[in-house]
Amino acid sequence: MQTFSYVKAASVDKALAGAGTGKFIAGGTTLVDLMKLGVEQPPTLVDINLLPLDKIEKLPDGGLRIGALVRNSDLAWNADVKERYAVLSEALLSGASPQLRNMATTGGNLLQRTRCAYFREPSAGTPGGYGCNKRTPGSGCTALDGFHRTHAILGTSEHCIATHPSDMCVAMAALEAVIHVEGPKGKRTIPFEEFHKLPGDTPNIENALEPGELVTRVDLPKPIEGTRSVYLKLRDRASYEFALASAAVVAKVEGGHIRYVRVAMGGVGTKPWRSHEAELALTGKPVEAATFRRAAEAALASAKPRTDNAFKVELAKRCLIRTLKLATA
Amino acid sequence: MAETADQRLKRLRSQFSQQELAPDQQTLELEPLNEEDSALKSGRFSRRSFLSGLGATGLLAGAAPLAAAAPAIAPETDETADTAGTATVTLRINGKDYTLRGLDTRATLLDTLRERLHLTGTKKGCDHGQCGACTVHVNGRRVNSCLSFAVMHEGDEITTIEGLGQPDNLHPMQAAFVEHDGYQCGYCTSGQIMSAAALLKEPIGPTDEDIKGAMAGNICRCGAYTNIVAAVRQARA
């Protein structure tokens, strides 16, 4: 591991001032792992664990404010989250292990890096090593014709097919969360859907954060009266595994018809995958198997499977259909 | 002309003695451990001190220059400023404060516990947060000590398996593991027990399935899972 200097920031201002070319560290569950692999080599680490960003607060408009340092387990077990944003609690509890959930933070999970084996391979992007455009732009993508059973089928490009691994983000996409950031140029908010970037020809750029910007909190809007929300995750084993396909659905049914619905999918996209196509196919339609099937077809219509991950197309459809059934039952 | 075996040995020895050791290999920088020191002086050998002694003997036989140089590499204990990449940190572990000078900022909590403080009950398995062997409690919550830098834990209350119970006063979870034979080789056991002890305070459901889910972050390659679940079930009752 590269040597780094370590700074503990006592305030957001001090953290921003100390950022420089370094990285912020909170839970460390992704960053320390990747530093050991040589994927991340920050010259400076700014420890932000002392910042007052560890609260979950109700907003006057009925929404919920989640500090960037709120740990995954605290968020999952929060009474408000369990009752009013069940999809988020379920998504968090389906991710990682209890130990990791005690460490991992809300802000950090937004920035979770892909589990693509080529990205994580220490030699990736170096001469003689595996190509990885995320690690070293222009070095190629070994996963395209390599091991890619777990890779993305939606939002891919010829430069990168790495899956976004977060469960929390899929739920937040369906809940239409708003991300608050603070940086050298001041404060701003980013709608969830605009936060993560498609790989395109710059897979090294994963999100909308500017250099030196810090995620300070995530706001959830007030839940729509009468909605029900569900997260379903399908994977190779029942616990402590990344999704092969997952779905987050927030839905409201009136008179046997779907009046409101938000759909997001995980394990299949290069970013947390909000499906407006599925929502369009569902809104105003009767709650029945044919409606769900049409929505699933619409959600996966633009899928670009490769040799070993083609099974994900049907798996993701069935995952979404099952989740829709549960959310509208 | 081809190198003779003797020349090759000399070359490798000289390379080895000059080579800078990685932080996790710097066993010569260990904090003195009073118990083992006194054990050595009184002629009582623990398994660990015996094995360490064998290692040192091996080094002495194979690379005399390294052993001779050892005192020079030992850390300064006076009040010198930390150099780049090092820090002075006070860790509170099992109710006792340890001030560590010149701690490499890259040292994980796990390596610091084991290599600097000789608290070797906490084990290193995968070193990437995937196996749970390194589980300790930080402020009462279970975490993977391999994925955390020690410098980040100033002011935290850290509990390791050494602080959970004592041979004559076992934590109920330790007693339950003994009673139900919740192990085979024992390597994952301290992590399993630290994880299970923390689980007692978490809002998880009452069933065996809930126990299995809550213990998912701890892998046992011997496959003692059935007995581990039985032990946890008993300790929760």
Side-chain angles (χ1 to χ4, degrees), chain A residues 1-2 4 6 8 26 33 36 49 73-74 98-100 102 115 239-240, chain B residues 105-106 127-130 135 141-142 144 146 151-152 195 203 214 216 218:
Chain A
M1 193 187 295
Q2 290 271 332
F4 58 86
Y6 169 84
K8 196 156 200 158
D33 181 27
K36 288 183 179 187
N49 283 295
S73 45
D74 291 329
Q99 289 97 315
L100 291 170
N102 278 341
R115 304 298 294 189
S239 63
Y240 201 7
Chain B
T105 52
R106 295 172 294 181
D127 210 24
H128 286 271
Q130 297 175 6
T135 303
R141 298 159 59 125
R142 47 178 164 160
N144 300 109
C146 73
V151 287
M152 296 169 66
S195 205
N218 293 80

PDB file of all heavy atoms in Angstrom, chain A residues 1-2 4 6 8 26 33 36 49 73-74 98-100 102 115 239-240, chain B residues 105-106 127-130 135 141-142 144 146 151-152 195 203 214 216 218:
ATOM      1  N   MET A   1       0.840  -1.207   0.000  1.00  0.00           N
ATOM      2  CA  MET A   1       0.000   0.000   0.000  1.00  0.00           C
ATOM      3  C   MET A   1       0.875   1.257   0.000  1.00  0.00           C
ATOM      4  O   MET A   1       1.895   1.294   0.667  1.00  0.00           O
ATOM      5  CB  MET A   1      -0.888   0.006   1.256  1.00  0.00           C
ATOM      6  CG  MET A   1      -2.002   1.017   1.226  1.00  0.00           C
ATOM      7  SD  MET A   1      -2.880   1.122   2.820  1.00  0.00           S
ATOM      8  CE  MET A   1      -3.613  -0.504   2.940  1.00  0.00           C
ATOM      9  N   GLN A   2       0.469   2.243  -0.767  1.00  0.00           N
ATOM     10  CA  GLN A   2       1.197   3.516  -0.805  1.00  0.00           C
ATOM     11  C   GLN A   2       1.112   4.231   0.544  1.00  0.00           C
ATOM     12  O   GLN A   2       0.077   4.190   1.194  1.00  0.00           O
ATOM     13  CB  GLN A   2       0.558   4.434  -1.855  1.00  0.00           C
ATOM     14  CG  GLN A   2       0.778   3.992  -3.284  1.00  0.00           C
ATOM     15  CD  GLN A   2       2.046   4.574  -3.866  1.00  0.00           C
ATOM     16  OE1 GLN A   2       2.479   5.639  -3.459  1.00  0.00           O
ATOM     17  NE2 GLN A   2       2.628   3.871  -4.821  1.00  0.00           N
ATOM     18  N   PHE A   4       0.500   7.260   2.985  1.00  0.00           N
ATOM     19  CA  PHE A   4      -0.377   8.440   2.873  1.00  0.00           C
ATOM     20  C   PHE A   4      -0.282   9.225   4.168  1.00  0.00           C
ATOM     21  O   PHE A   4       0.093   8.695   5.212  1.00  0.00           O
ATOM     22  CB  PHE A   4      -1.826   8.015   2.618  1.00  0.00           C
ATOM     23  CG  PHE A   4      -2.413   7.121   3.667  1.00  0.00           C
ATOM     24  CD1 PHE A   4      -3.005   7.647   4.812  1.00  0.00           C
ATOM     25  CD2 PHE A   4      -2.368   5.735   3.519  1.00  0.00           C
ATOM     26  CE1 PHE A   4      -3.528   6.810   5.778  1.00  0.00           C
ATOM     27  CE2 PHE A   4      -2.887   4.896   4.491  1.00  0.00           C
ATOM     28  CZ  PHE A   4      -3.472   5.429   5.624  1.00  0.00           C
ATOM     29  N   TYR A   6      -2.345  11.414   7.036  1.00  0.00           N
ATOM     30  CA  TYR A   6      -3.671  11.251   7.611  1.00  0.00           C
ATOM     31  C   TYR A   6      -4.065  12.508   8.378  1.00  0.00           C
ATOM     32  O   TYR A   6      -3.287  13.034   9.171  1.00  0.00           O
ATOM     33  CB  TYR A   6      -3.648  10.048   8.556  1.00  0.00           C
ATOM     34  CG  TYR A   6      -4.862   9.905   9.430  1.00  0.00           C
ATOM     35  CD1 TYR A   6      -6.006   9.276   8.951  1.00  0.00           C
ATOM     36  CD2 TYR A   6      -4.863  10.389  10.729  1.00  0.00           C
ATOM     37  CE1 TYR A   6      -7.126   9.142   9.758  1.00  0.00           C
ATOM     38  CE2 TYR A   6      -5.979  10.261  11.543  1.00  0.00           C
ATOM     39  CZ  TYR A   6      -7.102   9.636  11.046  1.00  0.00           C
ATOM     40  OH  TYR A   6      -8.204   9.512  11.843  1.00  0.00           O
ATOM     41  N   LYS A   8      -7.437  14.262  10.538  1.00  0.00           N
ATOM     42  CA  LYS A   8      -8.778  14.078  11.076  1.00  0.00           C
ATOM     43  C   LYS A   8      -9.470  15.440  11.072  1.00  0.00           C
ATOM     44  O   LYS A   8      -8.984  16.370  11.719  1.00  0.00           O
ATOM     45  CB  LYS A   8      -8.693  13.524  12.502  1.00  0.00           C
ATOM     46  CG  LYS A   8     -10.004  12.960  12.984  1.00  0.00           C
ATOM     47  CD  LYS A   8      -9.766  11.935  14.094  1.00  0.00           C
ATOM     48  CE  LYS A   8     -10.978  11.035  14.245  1.00  0.00           C
ATOM     49  NZ  LYS A   8     -10.673   9.775  14.888  1.00  0.00           N
ATOM     50  N   ALA A  26     -14.604   7.505   5.577  1.00  0.00           N
ATOM     51  CA  ALA A  26     -15.599   7.395   6.648  1.00  0.00           C
ATOM     52  C   ALA A  26     -15.565   5.966   7.158  1.00  0.00           C
ATOM     53  O   ALA A  26     -14.720   5.606   7.976  1.00  0.00           O
ATOM     54  CB  ALA A  26     -16.975   7.793   6.132  1.00  0.00           C
ATOM     55  N   ASP A  33     -10.157  -1.464   1.381  1.00  0.00           N
ATOM     56  CA  ASP A  33     -10.087  -2.666   0.538  1.00  0.00           C
ATOM     57  C   ASP A  33      -9.334  -2.340  -0.764  1.00  0.00           C
ATOM     58  O   ASP A  33      -8.383  -3.032  -1.139  1.00  0.00           O
ATOM     59  CB  ASP A  33     -11.534  -3.110   0.247  1.00  0.00           C
ATOM     60  CG  ASP A  33     -11.621  -4.353  -0.600  1.00  0.00           C
ATOM     61  OD1 ASP A  33     -10.680  -5.171  -0.564  1.00  0.00           O
ATOM     62  OD2 ASP A  33     -12.645  -4.517  -1.299  1.00  0.00           O
ATOM     63  N   LYS A  36      -5.605  -1.560  -0.366  1.00  0.00           N
ATOM     64  CA  LYS A  36      -4.800  -2.773  -0.220  1.00  0.00           C
ATOM     65  C   LYS A  36      -4.505  -3.400  -1.580  1.00  0.00           C
ATOM     66  O   LYS A  36      -3.469  -4.021  -1.777  1.00  0.00           O
ATOM     67  CB  LYS A  36      -5.524  -3.794   0.659  1.00  0.00           C
ATOM     68  CG  LYS A  36      -5.549  -3.410   2.129  1.00  0.00           C
ATOM     69  CD  LYS A  36      -6.220  -4.486   2.970  1.00  0.00           C
ATOM     70  CE  LYS A  36      -6.208  -4.069   4.430  1.00  0.00           C
ATOM     71  NZ  LYS A  36      -6.683  -5.140   5.312  1.00  0.00           N
ATOM     72  N   ASN A  49     -14.991  11.194  10.135  1.00  0.00           N
ATOM     73  CA  ASN A  49     -15.881  10.557  11.107  1.00  0.00           C
ATOM     74  C   ASN A  49     -16.303  11.458  12.272  1.00  0.00           C
ATOM     75  O   ASN A  49     -17.259  11.139  12.974  1.00  0.00           O
ATOM     76  CB  ASN A  49     -15.237   9.279  11.640  1.00  0.00           C
ATOM     77  CG  ASN A  49     -15.346   8.153  10.620  1.00  0.00           C
ATOM     78  OD1 ASN A  49     -16.444   7.701  10.311  1.00  0.00           O
ATOM     79  ND2 ASN A  49     -14.222   7.730  10.065  1.00  0.00           N
ATOM     80  N   SER A  73     -26.381   0.115   9.194  1.00  0.00           N
ATOM     81  CA  SER A  73     -27.227  -0.628  10.133  1.00  0.00           C
ATOM     82  C   SER A  73     -28.161   0.320  10.879  1.00  0.00           C
ATOM     83  O   SER A  73     -29.338   0.001  11.092  1.00  0.00           O
ATOM     84  CB  SER A  73     -26.374  -1.437  11.117  1.00  0.00           C
ATOM     85  OG  SER A  73     -25.319  -0.666  11.622  1.00  0.00           O
ATOM     86  N   ASP A  74     -27.678   1.503  11.257  1.00  0.00           N
ATOM     87  CA  ASP A  74     -28.539   2.471  11.950  1.00  0.00           C
ATOM     88  C   ASP A  74     -29.684   2.931  11.049  1.00  0.00           C
ATOM     89  O   ASP A  74     -30.802   3.121  11.504  1.00  0.00           O
ATOM     90  CB  ASP A  74     -27.718   3.684  12.407  1.00  0.00           C
ATOM     91  CG  ASP A  74     -26.755   3.332  13.525  1.00  0.00           C
ATOM     92  OD1 ASP A  74     -27.093   2.428  14.313  1.00  0.00           O
ATOM     93  OD2 ASP A  74     -25.675   3.933  13.604  1.00  0.00           O
ATOM     94  N   PRO A  98     -23.307  -7.986   8.617  1.00  0.00           N
ATOM     95  CA  PRO A  98     -23.598  -7.093   9.746  1.00  0.00           C
ATOM     96  C   PRO A  98     -22.393  -6.230  10.137  1.00  0.00           C
ATOM     97  O   PRO A  98     -22.551  -5.046  10.439  1.00  0.00           O
ATOM     98  CB  PRO A  98     -23.968  -8.061  10.867  1.00  0.00           C
ATOM     99  CG  PRO A  98     -24.500  -9.265  10.164  1.00  0.00           C
ATOM    100  CD  PRO A  98     -23.684  -9.380   8.909  1.00  0.00           C
ATOM    101  N   GLN A  99     -21.199  -6.813  10.117  1.00  0.00           N
ATOM    102  CA  GLN A  99     -20.015  -6.032  10.482  1.00  0.00           C
ATOM    103  C   GLN A  99     -19.816  -4.869   9.511  1.00  0.00           C
ATOM    104  O   GLN A  99     -19.532  -3.745   9.921  1.00  0.00           O
ATOM    105  CB  GLN A  99     -18.754  -6.916  10.449  1.00  0.00           C
ATOM    106  CG  GLN A  99     -18.677  -7.945  11.563  1.00  0.00           C
ATOM    107  CD  GLN A  99     -19.159  -9.313  11.115  1.00  0.00           C
ATOM    108  OE1 GLN A  99     -20.188  -9.428  10.470  1.00  0.00           O
ATOM    109  NE2 GLN A  99     -18.420 -10.350  11.450  1.00  0.00           N
ATOM    110  N   LEU A 100     -19.925  -5.169   8.225  1.00  0.00           N
ATOM    111  CA  LEU A 100     -19.721  -4.118   7.223  1.00  0.00           C
ATOM    112  C   LEU A 100     -20.812  -3.062   7.310  1.00  0.00           C
ATOM    113  O   LEU A 100     -20.556  -1.877   7.146  1.00  0.00           O
ATOM    114  CB  LEU A 100     -19.676  -4.719   5.810  1.00  0.00           C
ATOM    115  CG  LEU A 100     -18.450  -5.574   5.507  1.00  0.00           C
ATOM    116  CD1 LEU A 100     -18.623  -6.315   4.193  1.00  0.00           C
ATOM    117  CD2 LEU A 100     -17.195  -4.717   5.458  1.00  0.00           C
ATOM    118  N   ASN A 102     -22.246  -2.102   9.961  1.00  0.00           N
ATOM    119  CA  ASN A 102     -21.932  -1.245  11.108  1.00  0.00           C
ATOM    120  C   ASN A 102     -20.889  -0.194  10.761  1.00  0.00           C
ATOM    121  O   ASN A 102     -20.751   0.803  11.460  1.00  0.00           O
ATOM    122  CB  ASN A 102     -21.402  -2.087  12.275  1.00  0.00           C
ATOM    123  CG  ASN A 102     -22.518  -2.730  13.079  1.00  0.00           C
ATOM    124  OD1 ASN A 102     -23.666  -2.297  13.004  1.00  0.00           O
ATOM    125  ND2 ASN A 102     -22.188  -3.758  13.835  1.00  0.00           N
ATOM    126  N   ARG A 115     -17.580  -4.359  -8.315  1.00  0.00           N
ATOM    127  CA  ARG A 115     -16.875  -5.587  -7.936  1.00  0.00           C
ATOM    128  C   ARG A 115     -16.277  -6.288  -9.147  1.00  0.00           C
ATOM    129  O   ARG A 115     -15.801  -7.423  -9.025  1.00  0.00           O
ATOM    130  CB  ARG A 115     -17.840  -6.547  -7.223  1.00  0.00           C
ATOM    131  CG  ARG A 115     -18.515  -5.952  -6.025  1.00  0.00           C
ATOM    132  CD  ARG A 115     -17.558  -5.544  -4.939  1.00  0.00           C
ATOM    133  NE  ARG A 115     -16.861  -6.669  -4.328  1.00  0.00           N
ATOM    134  CZ  ARG A 115     -16.107  -6.580  -3.249  1.00  0.00           C
ATOM    135  NH1 ARG A 115     -15.930  -5.412  -2.672  1.00  0.00           N
ATOM    136  NH2 ARG A 115     -15.514  -7.636  -2.754  1.00  0.00           N
ATOM    137  N   SER A 239     -27.298 -15.076   1.518  1.00  0.00           N
ATOM    138  CA  SER A 239     -26.827 -13.928   2.285  1.00  0.00           C
ATOM    139  C   SER A 239     -25.409 -13.563   1.891  1.00  0.00           C
ATOM    140  O   SER A 239     -24.672 -14.370   1.323  1.00  0.00           O
ATOM    141  CB  SER A 239     -26.874 -14.227   3.784  1.00  0.00           C
ATOM    142  OG  SER A 239     -26.008 -15.294   4.099  1.00  0.00           O
ATOM    143  N   TYR A 240     -25.019 -12.333   2.240  1.00  0.00           N
ATOM    144  CA  TYR A 240     -23.666 -11.843   2.039  1.00  0.00           C
ATOM    145  C   TYR A 240     -23.176 -12.082   0.608  1.00  0.00           C
ATOM    146  O   TYR A 240     -22.164 -12.716   0.371  1.00  0.00           O
ATOM    147  CB  TYR A 240     -22.728 -12.510   3.050  1.00  0.00           C
ATOM    148  CG  TYR A 240     -21.442 -11.764   3.289  1.00  0.00           C
ATOM    149  CD1 TYR A 240     -21.237 -10.503   2.731  1.00  0.00           C
ATOM    150  CD2 TYR A 240     -20.423 -12.291   4.054  1.00  0.00           C
ATOM    151  CE1 TYR A 240     -20.076  -9.809   2.940  1.00  0.00           C
ATOM    152  CE2 TYR A 240     -19.256 -11.612   4.277  1.00  0.00           C
ATOM    153  CZ  TYR A 240     -19.068 -10.381   3.712  1.00  0.00           C
ATOM    154  OH  TYR A 240     -17.916  -9.706   3.919  1.00  0.00           O
TER     155      TYR A 240
ATOM    156  N   THR B 105       0.645   4.988   9.331  1.00  0.00           N
ATOM    157  CA  THR B 105      -0.773   5.282   9.098  1.00  0.00           C
ATOM    158  C   THR B 105      -1.449   4.161   8.310  1.00  0.00           C
ATOM    159  O   THR B 105      -2.660   4.011   8.361  1.00  0.00           O
ATOM    160  CB  THR B 105      -0.961   6.608   8.323  1.00  0.00           C
ATOM    161  OG1 THR B 105      -0.144   6.565   7.155  1.00  0.00           O
ATOM    162  CG2 THR B 105      -0.586   7.797   9.178  1.00  0.00           C
ATOM    163  N   ARG B 106      -0.653   3.361   7.598  1.00  0.00           N
ATOM    164  CA  ARG B 106      -1.230   2.259   6.813  1.00  0.00           C
ATOM    165  C   ARG B 106      -1.599   1.058   7.659  1.00  0.00           C
ATOM    166  O   ARG B 106      -2.237   0.120   7.168  1.00  0.00           O
ATOM    167  CB  ARG B 106      -0.229   1.796   5.743  1.00  0.00           C
ATOM    168  CG  ARG B 106       0.071   2.839   4.691  1.00  0.00           C
ATOM    169  CD  ARG B 106       1.196   2.400   3.797  1.00  0.00           C
ATOM    170  NE  ARG B 106       2.461   2.300   4.534  1.00  0.00           N
ATOM    171  CZ  ARG B 106       3.607   1.959   3.977  1.00  0.00           C
ATOM    172  NH1 ARG B 106       3.667   1.660   2.698  1.00  0.00           N
ATOM    173  NH2 ARG B 106       4.715   1.898   4.701  1.00  0.00           N
ATOM    174  N   ASP B 127      -8.314 -10.600   5.058  1.00  0.00           N
ATOM    175  CA  ASP B 127      -7.777  -9.228   5.087  1.00  0.00           C
ATOM    176  C   ASP B 127      -8.552  -8.268   4.173  1.00  0.00           C
ATOM    177  O   ASP B 127      -8.077  -7.194   3.862  1.00  0.00           O
ATOM    178  CB  ASP B 127      -6.282  -9.211   4.708  1.00  0.00           C
ATOM    179  CG  ASP B 127      -5.528  -8.072   5.402  1.00  0.00           C
ATOM    180  OD1 ASP B 127      -5.991  -7.608   6.457  1.00  0.00           O
ATOM    181  OD2 ASP B 127      -4.478  -7.653   4.870  1.00  0.00           O
ATOM    182  N   HIS B 128      -9.746  -8.666   3.726  1.00  0.00           N
ATOM    183  CA  HIS B 128     -10.556  -7.795   2.866  1.00  0.00           C
ATOM    184  C   HIS B 128     -12.016  -7.711   3.309  1.00  0.00           C
ATOM    185  O   HIS B 128     -12.903  -7.437   2.492  1.00  0.00           O
ATOM    186  CB  HIS B 128     -10.470  -8.250   1.407  1.00  0.00           C
ATOM    187  CG  HIS B 128      -9.153  -7.900   0.768  1.00  0.00           C
ATOM    188  ND1 HIS B 128      -8.923  -6.699   0.129  1.00  0.00           N
ATOM    189  CD2 HIS B 128      -7.986  -8.572   0.716  1.00  0.00           C
ATOM    190  CE1 HIS B 128      -7.677  -6.652  -0.308  1.00  0.00           C
ATOM    191  NE2 HIS B 128      -7.085  -7.790   0.039  1.00  0.00           N
ATOM    192  N   GLY B 129     -12.292  -8.011   4.563  1.00  0.00           N
ATOM    193  CA  GLY B 129     -13.657  -7.850   5.063  1.00  0.00           C
ATOM    194  C   GLY B 129     -14.637  -8.901   4.591  1.00  0.00           C
ATOM    195  O   GLY B 129     -15.840  -8.687   4.635  1.00  0.00           O
ATOM    196  N   GLN B 130     -14.125 -10.035   4.148  1.00  0.00           N
ATOM    197  CA  GLN B 130     -15.028 -11.034   3.597  1.00  0.00           C
ATOM    198  C   GLN B 130     -15.211 -12.264   4.495  1.00  0.00           C
ATOM    199  O   GLN B 130     -16.137 -13.032   4.291  1.00  0.00           O
ATOM    200  CB  GLN B 130     -14.518 -11.484   2.217  1.00  0.00           C
ATOM    201  CG  GLN B 130     -14.511 -10.330   1.235  1.00  0.00           C
ATOM    202  CD  GLN B 130     -13.901 -10.701  -0.108  1.00  0.00           C
ATOM    203  OE1 GLN B 130     -13.575 -11.856  -0.353  1.00  0.00           O
ATOM    204  NE2 GLN B 130     -13.728  -9.730  -0.968  1.00  0.00           N
ATOM    205  N   THR B 135     -13.114  -9.917  13.435  1.00  0.00           N
ATOM    206  CA  THR B 135     -14.184  -9.138  14.076  1.00  0.00           C
ATOM    207  C   THR B 135     -13.820  -8.718  15.500  1.00  0.00           C
ATOM    208  O   THR B 135     -13.438  -9.544  16.327  1.00  0.00           O
ATOM    209  CB  THR B 135     -15.491  -9.956  14.099  1.00  0.00           C
ATOM    210  OG1 THR B 135     -15.816 -10.326  12.752  1.00  0.00           O
ATOM    211  CG2 THR B 135     -16.637  -9.138  14.696  1.00  0.00           C
ATOM    212  N   ARG B 141     -20.017  -2.176  18.977  1.00  0.00           N
ATOM    213  CA  ARG B 141     -20.570  -2.740  17.738  1.00  0.00           C
ATOM    214  C   ARG B 141     -19.501  -3.545  17.015  1.00  0.00           C
ATOM    215  O   ARG B 141     -18.332  -3.196  17.005  1.00  0.00           O
ATOM    216  CB  ARG B 141     -21.074  -1.615  16.844  1.00  0.00           C
ATOM    217  CG  ARG B 141     -22.202  -0.824  17.490  1.00  0.00           C
ATOM    218  CD  ARG B 141     -22.322   0.537  16.862  1.00  0.00           C
ATOM    219  NE  ARG B 141     -22.572   0.436  15.442  1.00  0.00           N
ATOM    220  CZ  ARG B 141     -23.610   1.014  14.831  1.00  0.00           C
ATOM    221  NH1 ARG B 141     -24.473   1.726  15.505  1.00  0.00           N
ATOM    222  NH2 ARG B 141     -23.769   0.890  13.538  1.00  0.00           N
ATOM    223  N   ARG B 142     -19.943  -4.619  16.389  1.00  0.00           N
ATOM    224  CA  ARG B 142     -18.974  -5.487  15.707  1.00  0.00           C
ATOM    225  C   ARG B 142     -18.538  -4.870  14.379  1.00  0.00           C
ATOM    226  O   ARG B 142     -19.376  -4.374  13.619  1.00  0.00           O
ATOM    227  CB  ARG B 142     -19.553  -6.883  15.478  1.00  0.00           C
ATOM    228  CG  ARG B 142     -20.956  -6.895  14.892  1.00  0.00           C
ATOM    229  CD  ARG B 142     -21.432  -8.318  14.639  1.00  0.00           C
ATOM    230  NE  ARG B 142     -22.874  -8.393  14.439  1.00  0.00           N
ATOM    231  CZ  ARG B 142     -23.478  -9.392  13.842  1.00  0.00           C
ATOM    232  NH1 ARG B 142     -22.782 -10.403  13.374  1.00  0.00           N
ATOM    233  NH2 ARG B 142     -24.786  -9.409  13.716  1.00  0.00           N
ATOM    234  N   ASN B 144     -15.190  -5.179  11.111  1.00  0.00           N
ATOM    235  CA  ASN B 144     -14.042  -5.904  10.577  1.00  0.00           C
ATOM    236  C   ASN B 144     -12.786  -5.056  10.827  1.00  0.00           C
ATOM    237  O   ASN B 144     -12.621  -4.009  10.201  1.00  0.00           O
ATOM    238  CB  ASN B 144     -14.198  -6.142   9.070  1.00  0.00           C
ATOM    239  CG  ASN B 144     -15.423  -6.955   8.722  1.00  0.00           C
ATOM    240  OD1 ASN B 144     -16.384  -6.430   8.166  1.00  0.00           O
ATOM    241  ND2 ASN B 144     -15.396  -8.221   9.052  1.00  0.00           N
ATOM    242  N   CYS B 146      -9.884  -5.470   9.898  1.00  0.00           N
ATOM    243  CA  CYS B 146      -8.949  -5.437   8.763  1.00  0.00           C
ATOM    244  C   CYS B 146      -9.248  -4.288   7.812  1.00  0.00           C
ATOM    245  O   CYS B 146      -8.420  -3.911   7.010  1.00  0.00           O
ATOM    246  CB  CYS B 146      -8.973  -6.761   7.991  1.00  0.00           C
ATOM    247  SG  CYS B 146     -10.468  -7.009   7.008  1.00  0.00           S
ATOM    248  N   VAL B 151      -5.177   4.427  13.115  1.00  0.00           N
ATOM    249  CA  VAL B 151      -5.159   5.864  13.447  1.00  0.00           C
ATOM    250  C   VAL B 151      -6.560   6.463  13.520  1.00  0.00           C
ATOM    251  O   VAL B 151      -6.754   7.524  14.102  1.00  0.00           O
ATOM    252  CB  VAL B 151      -4.340   6.696  12.428  1.00  0.00           C
ATOM    253  CG1 VAL B 151      -2.863   6.456  12.594  1.00  0.00           C
ATOM    254  CG2 VAL B 151      -4.798   6.442  11.004  1.00  0.00           C
ATOM    255  N   MET B 152      -7.530   5.784  12.930  1.00  0.00           N
ATOM    256  CA  MET B 152      -8.896   6.320  12.934  1.00  0.00           C
ATOM    257  C   MET B 152      -9.626   6.031  14.244  1.00  0.00           C
ATOM    258  O   MET B 152     -10.777   6.431  14.411  1.00  0.00           O
ATOM    259  CB  MET B 152      -9.701   5.720  11.768  1.00  0.00           C
ATOM    260  CG  MET B 152      -9.157   6.102  10.397  1.00  0.00           C
ATOM    261  SD  MET B 152      -9.916   5.141   9.067  1.00  0.00           S
ATOM    262  CE  MET B 152     -11.612   5.718   9.131  1.00  0.00           C
ATOM    263  N   SER B 195     -18.602 -11.703  16.961  1.00  0.00           N
ATOM    264  CA  SER B 195     -19.771 -11.395  16.153  1.00  0.00           C
ATOM    265  C   SER B 195     -21.050 -11.790  16.899  1.00  0.00           C
ATOM    266  O   SER B 195     -22.000 -10.999  17.005  1.00  0.00           O
ATOM    267  CB  SER B 195     -19.666 -12.160  14.824  1.00  0.00           C
ATOM    268  OG  SER B 195     -20.384 -11.520  13.823  1.00  0.00           O
ATOM    269  N   PRO B 203     -31.240  -5.763  16.951  1.00  0.00           N
ATOM    270  CA  PRO B 203     -32.669  -6.055  16.826  1.00  0.00           C
ATOM    271  C   PRO B 203     -32.982  -7.091  15.750  1.00  0.00           C
ATOM    272  O   PRO B 203     -33.691  -6.810  14.790  1.00  0.00           O
ATOM    273  CB  PRO B 203     -33.256  -4.685  16.469  1.00  0.00           C
ATOM    274  CG  PRO B 203     -32.178  -4.005  15.713  1.00  0.00           C
ATOM    275  CD  PRO B 203     -30.883  -4.501  16.275  1.00  0.00           C
ATOM    276  N   ALA B 214     -27.650 -13.218  10.599  1.00  0.00           N
ATOM    277  CA  ALA B 214     -26.855 -12.288  11.404  1.00  0.00           C
ATOM    278  C   ALA B 214     -25.412 -12.749  11.546  1.00  0.00           C
ATOM    279  O   ALA B 214     -24.539 -11.971  11.893  1.00  0.00           O
ATOM    280  CB  ALA B 214     -27.493 -12.114  12.783  1.00  0.00           C
ATOM    281  N   ALA B 216     -23.829 -14.136   8.966  1.00  0.00           N
ATOM    282  CA  ALA B 216     -23.371 -14.338   7.590  1.00  0.00           C
ATOM    283  C   ALA B 216     -21.994 -13.739   7.324  1.00  0.00           C
ATOM    284  O   ALA B 216     -21.313 -14.138   6.386  1.00  0.00           O
ATOM    285  CB  ALA B 216     -24.387 -13.751   6.609  1.00  0.00           C
ATOM    286  N   ASN B 218     -19.366 -14.158   9.026  1.00  0.00           N
ATOM    287  CA  ASN B 218     -18.305 -14.985   9.607  1.00  0.00           C
ATOM    288  C   ASN B 218     -18.285 -16.345   8.933  1.00  0.00           C
ATOM    289  O   ASN B 218     -19.232 -17.121   9.044  1.00  0.00           O
ATOM    290  CB  ASN B 218     -18.518 -15.155  11.114  1.00  0.00           C
ATOM    291  CG  ASN B 218     -18.340 -13.851  11.856  1.00  0.00           C
ATOM    292  OD1 ASN B 218     -19.251 -13.028  11.886  1.00  0.00           O
ATOM    293  ND2 ASN B 218     -17.172 -13.632  12.406  1.00  0.00           N
TER     294      ASN B 218
END
